[in-house]
């Protein structure tokens, strides 16, 4: 099961186990059960503190992990390899007493949770977002004896997937009822079941001292801005829903200069760690609601808290654009998906559509073609916007069709899940129905700037923040960077550069303005002509 190199790495990690643990395998005479038993035995063979034994889990094959002599509260239904191998390693270490690096306050919050919480998470081994949820719930189960968690590989338990109509991952159930869908952080999960947590957090945030620079957003632009600001020795804060932004949804990254290949979650983790090294005050699980200037700049959060700062850098990024047609919202996670890597395996052997002929759409079609029976790409325009090398690859595949001049008008379904799509041929005007099981929407991005409507921050017609070459916006003391701005070419490396530029611009603003100024006059670096030219 494990090659020599992987065993060597695993052996190094397992040295951190403090207390004896037990790995219980529940299996039958199936090949997958044999594979899981082999995996358990190989792991046990690497450490004298690990014992493999037979289990009696309700799902087979499954592997339960826990301290020796205790009933395990963490289990894996399926073979936890691929993206979930790290989840298995962490479960082994935590069961063996190795401490978590999570926020101590969150860990204590978990220990204090009252009630019975039995979690089940359906995943696919190709999903890069699933491990975050699995690892968070595993940690919770390790810390609190009232919590259990089982990861379930949807590919091996198709009957359950169909019974519960799971068509997107990660899909989390609590005590038998649907609890959450999609990527969630540890703090988000804890706050969702800890009533009163949001109010306590808002009250605590209202007591924070004002910042010199407050960065809004935790993606590449926000991380770069926070690092550059903190290196100037000024009080820096960063507020975001979570670290990573769109990067967390990116599997392969091959054009990040000096790094031939990496993956989104790995890059995101590196960004967060780098920011932490500079003592930045990081505030997550918070969403911006409004910005205004009184004596200082004030950022209002949806939680009800307000943070004050002498300057602000907006790096709120963008999100996948939605079609906005009937049926899309109704069938989201029930056949309508936005991440082909995460949800593609649930459509194995079926017919799906990809909406969008740009790089994202054609890449999605290529990836899905190796899983599903057939892929139909629908492009609104009469030409494809994707790189020629991708188009040639897609056209060479026998199960990919590309239809131009196709305007998607409705997602069709039976009330429970998608069963088709309707589009209009923009040349003939004919309405055409396609029978299919899934629709993957890949039509570009929309900036996360709704909260700025009505503020003094100028935006263009599509909601992008207008900036000059220093990242300056039309609101004194407010700078912006990344995919939320008018700067062209939405790329990771460009966002990072913009983040650095905005931080340097903010620092320049601060040294030119005393704390007593009310900011009624525009910063010297902000000229109206520059903003107009950058729009």
């Amino acid at each position: 099961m494990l090659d020599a190199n992987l065993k060597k790495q695993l052996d190094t990690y397992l040295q951190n186990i403090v207390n004896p643990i037990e790995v219980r395998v529940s299996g039958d005479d199936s090949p997958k059960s044999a594979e899981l038993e082999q995996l358990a035995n190989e792991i046990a063979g690497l450490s004298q503190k690990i014992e493999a034994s037979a289990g009696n889990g309700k799902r087979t094959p499954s592997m339960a992990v826990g301290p020796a002599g205790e009933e395990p509260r963490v289990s894996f239904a399926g073979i936890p390899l691929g993206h979930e191998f790290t989840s298995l390693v962490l479960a082994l270490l935590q069961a063996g007493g190795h401490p978590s690096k999570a926020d101590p306050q969150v860990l204590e919050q978990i220990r204090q949770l009252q009630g019975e919480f039995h979690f089940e998470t359906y995943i696919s081994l190709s999903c890069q977002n699933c491990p975050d949820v699995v690892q968070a719930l595993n940690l919770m189960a390790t810390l609190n004896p009232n919590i259990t968690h089982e990861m379930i590989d949807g590919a091996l338990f198709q009957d359950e997937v169909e019974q519960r109509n799971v068509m997107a991952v990660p899909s989390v159930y609590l005590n038998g009822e649907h609890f959450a869908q999609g990527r969630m952080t540890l703090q988000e999960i804890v706050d969702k079941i800890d009533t009163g947590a949001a109010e306590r957090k808002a009250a605590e945030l209202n007591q924070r001292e004002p910042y010199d620079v407050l960065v809004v957003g935790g993606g590449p632009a926000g991380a770069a801005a926070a690092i550059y600001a903190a290196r100037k020795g000024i009080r820096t804060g960063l507020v975001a829903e979570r670290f990573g932004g769109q990067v967390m949804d990116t599997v392969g990254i091959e054009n990040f200069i000096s790094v031939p290949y990496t993956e989104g979650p790995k890059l995101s983790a590196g960004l967060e760690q780098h920011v932490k090294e500079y003592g930045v005050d990081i505030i997550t699980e918070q969403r911006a609601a409004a910005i205004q200037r009184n004596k200082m700049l004030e950022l209002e959060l949806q939680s009800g808290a307000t943070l004050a700062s002498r300057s602000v850098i907006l790096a709120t990024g963008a999100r996948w654009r939605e079609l906005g047609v009937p049926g899309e919202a109704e069938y989201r996670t029930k056949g309508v998906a936005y991440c082909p890597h995460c949800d593609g395996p649930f459509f194995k052997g079926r017919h799906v559509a990809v909406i969008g002929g740009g790089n994202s759409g054609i890449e999605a079609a290529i990836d899905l073609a190796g899983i599903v029976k057939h892929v139909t790409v629908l492009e609104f325009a009469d030409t494809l916007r994707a790189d020629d090398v991708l188009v040639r690859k897609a056209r060479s595949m026998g199960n990919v069709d590309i239809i131009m001049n196709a305007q998607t008008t409705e997602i069709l379904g039976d009330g429970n899940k998608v069963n088709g799509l309707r589009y209009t041929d923009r040349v003939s005007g004919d309405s055409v129905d396609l029978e299919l099981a899934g629709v993957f929407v890949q039509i570009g991005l929309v900036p996360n700037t709704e909260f700025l409507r009505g503020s003094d921050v100028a935006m263009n017609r599509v909601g992008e923040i207008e900036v000059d070459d220093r990242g300056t916006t039309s609101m004194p003391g407010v700078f912006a960077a990344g995919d939320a701005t008018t700067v062209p070419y939405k790329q990771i490396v460009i966002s990072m550069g913009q983040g650095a530029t905005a931080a340097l611009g903010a620092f320049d603003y601060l040294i030119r303005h005393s704390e007593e100024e009310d900011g009624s006059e525009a910063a010297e670096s902000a000229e109206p002509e520059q903003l107009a030219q950058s729009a």
Side-chain angles (χ1 to χ4, degrees):
M1 290 292 294
L2 304 176
D3 60 34
N5 185 51
L6 197 56
K7 281 186 177 180
K8 184 177 180 180
Q9 295 180 41
L10 183 57
D11 181 58
T12 301
Y13 285 118
L14 296 182
Q15 301 301 317
N16 293 308
I17 292 178
V18 179
N19 305 313
I21 63 175
E22 188 176 3
V23 176
R24 301 182 186 180
V25 177
S26 301
D28 48 30
D29 57 358
S30 67
K32 288 296 182 182
S33 290
E35 289 181 31
L36 188 60
E37 184 175 354
Q38 180 183 348
L39 175 62
N41 288 332
E42 289 185 6
I43 292 173
L46 295 174
S47 173
Q48 294 182 345
K49 293 183 179 179
I50 302 177
E51 178 184 355
S53 61
N56 58 351
K58 69 176 183 178
R59 294 180 175 91
T60 56
S62 67
M63 172 192 292
V65 178
E70 296 183 17
E71 191 65 26
R73 300 191 296 272
V74 172
S75 58
F76 300 85
I79 303 177
L81 295 177
H83 285 297
E84 293 299 344
F85 185 67
T86 300
S87 300
L88 172 60
V89 174
L90 286 174
L92 293 168
L93 295 178
Q94 290 163 3
H98 187 65
S100 169
K101 295 181 180 179
D103 185 338
Q105 291 184 335
V106 179
L107 299 181
E108 184 58 30
Q109 187 180 1
I110 294 169
R111 294 187 183 98
Q112 297 301 321
L113 290 172
Q114 301 296 315
E116 296 289 332
F117 305 98
H118 303 293
F119 289 97
E120 299 167 303
T121 303
Y122 290 89
I123 62 94
S124 69
L125 295 180
S126 61
C127 169
Q128 74 273 19
N129 293 327
C130 294
D132 285 347
V133 176
V134 171
Q135 291 163 23
L137 290 168
N138 283 350
L139 176 59
M140 291 172 64
T142 300
L143 294 173
N144 190 317
N146 298 319
I147 301 174
T148 65
H149 176 239
E150 183 160 30
M151 180 216 81
I152 305 167
D153 182 359
L156 289 185
F157 296 89
Q158 284 289 337
D159 290 344
E160 289 188 39
V161 165
E162 293 178 7
Q163 180 183 359
R164 284 179 160 174
N165 202 25
V166 176
M167 302 186 74
V169 290
S171 185
V172 183
Y173 285 76
L174 171 59
N175 298 336
E177 300 294 329
H178 189 266
F179 173 76
Q181 191 84 41
R183 186 179 66 231
M184 296 181 71
T185 65
L186 175 64
Q187 183 72 72
E188 284 179 304
I189 297 171
V190 175
D191 288 348
K192 193 175 176 68
I193 61 177
D194 182 8
T195 57
E199 290 77 10
R200 294 196 304 271
K201 183 66 174 179
E204 187 271 327
L205 290 177
N206 281 328
Q207 302 303 313
R208 298 282 175 103
E209 293 294 323
Y211 297 95
D212 292 314
V213 173
L214 179 61
V215 180
V216 188
I227 290 169
Y228 266 71
R231 282 174 61 87
K232 294 296 184 181
I234 55 181
R235 178 168 162 75
T236 304
L238 184 150
V239 60
E241 288 189 73
R242 60 172 64 90
F243 253 90
Q246 293 175 61
V247 171
M248 289 295 291
D249 297 324
T250 306
V251 177
I253 300 172
E254 299 177 325
N255 58 352
F256 190 62
I257 311 305
S258 84
V259 182
Y261 178 84
T262 188
E263 295 184 348
K266 182 178 180 180
L267 177 59
S268 176
L271 292 175
E272 184 173 8
Q273 183 58 40
H274 197 176
V275 171
K276 287 179 177 178
E277 289 179 1
Y278 284 94
V280 174
D281 189 5
I282 298 174
I283 304 166
T284 56
E285 324 308 331
Q286 299 291 325
R287 179 180 292 185
I291 187 171
Q292 61 182 356
R293 176 181 283 282
N294 289 315
K295 177 73 174 179
M296 303 184 78
L297 289 164
E298 295 181 352
L299 181 73
E300 297 178 15
L301 305 176
Q302 288 188 2
S303 65
T306 298
L307 300 172
S309 183
R310 295 178 61 201
S311 66
V312 169
I313 298 174
L314 301 172
T316 49
R319 63 187 183 277
W320 292 115
R321 186 181 300 276
E322 298 178 354
L323 287 167
V325 302
E328 181 181 22
E330 178 183 357
Y331 292 109
R332 184 176 288 113
T333 75
K334 298 178 182 178
V336 175
Y338 302 85
C339 179
H341 303 287
C342 300
D343 302 330
F346 288 95
F347 298 90
K348 183 177 182 179
R350 301 181 183 181
H351 183 179
V352 302
V354 172
I355 313 300
N359 282 345
S360 296
I362 300 303
E363 286 175 348
I366 293 170
D367 290 341
L368 289 167
I371 301 171
V372 305
K373 181 179 181 180
H374 193 274
V375 182
T376 300
V377 178
L378 301 180
E379 166 56 42
F380 180 86
D382 58 2
T383 57
L384 296 175
R385 294 168 287 112
D387 294 342
D388 187 57
V389 63
L390 295 175
V391 174
R392 290 200 307 270
K393 173 66 173 177
R395 291 190 184 282
S396 72
M397 307 183 84
N399 62 340
V400 176
D401 288 337
I402 301 175
I403 302 175
M404 314 287 202
N405 294 300
Q407 180 179 359
T408 304
T409 57
E410 186 176 0
I411 306 296
L412 308 175
D414 61 7
N416 294 312
K417 59 184 178 180
V418 168
N419 62 16
L421 174 150
R422 180 170 295 147
Y423 73 90
T424 297
D425 185 318
R426 297 177 58 242
V427 176
S428 68
D430 294 340
S431 180
V432 182
D433 286 1
L434 293 177
E435 291 186 11
L436 42 79
V439 177
F440 290 83
V441 182
Q442 303 281 290
I443 56 172
L445 304 169
V446 58
N448 296 315
T449 56
E450 290 86 354
F451 72 99
L452 295 173
R453 292 171 183 166
S455 73
D456 293 334
V457 178
M459 298 183 288
N460 65 12
R461 63 180 181 81
V462 297
E464 294 174 329
I465 303 168
E466 297 179 354
V467 294
D468 65 8
D469 56 3
R470 295 174 182 237
T472 309
T473 74
S474 59
M475 188 173 183
V478 177
F479 297 78
D483 288 359
T485 73
T486 51
V487 172
Y489 312 121
K490 313 302 186 185
Q491 299 288 311
I492 294 171
V493 69
I494 292 174
S495 291
M496 287 183 171
Q498 276 193 273
T501 297
L504 295 174
F507 182 71
D508 182 69
Y509 169 86
L510 291 175
I511 62 178
R512 293 169 185 268
H513 292 75
S514 68
E515 294 188 39
E516 287 72 29
E517 291 185 80
D518 63 7
S520 59
E521 297 182 0
E524 294 179 22
S525 59
E527 297 293 339
E529 305 84 50
Q530 291 176 312
L531 290 173
Q533 292 172 2
S534 68

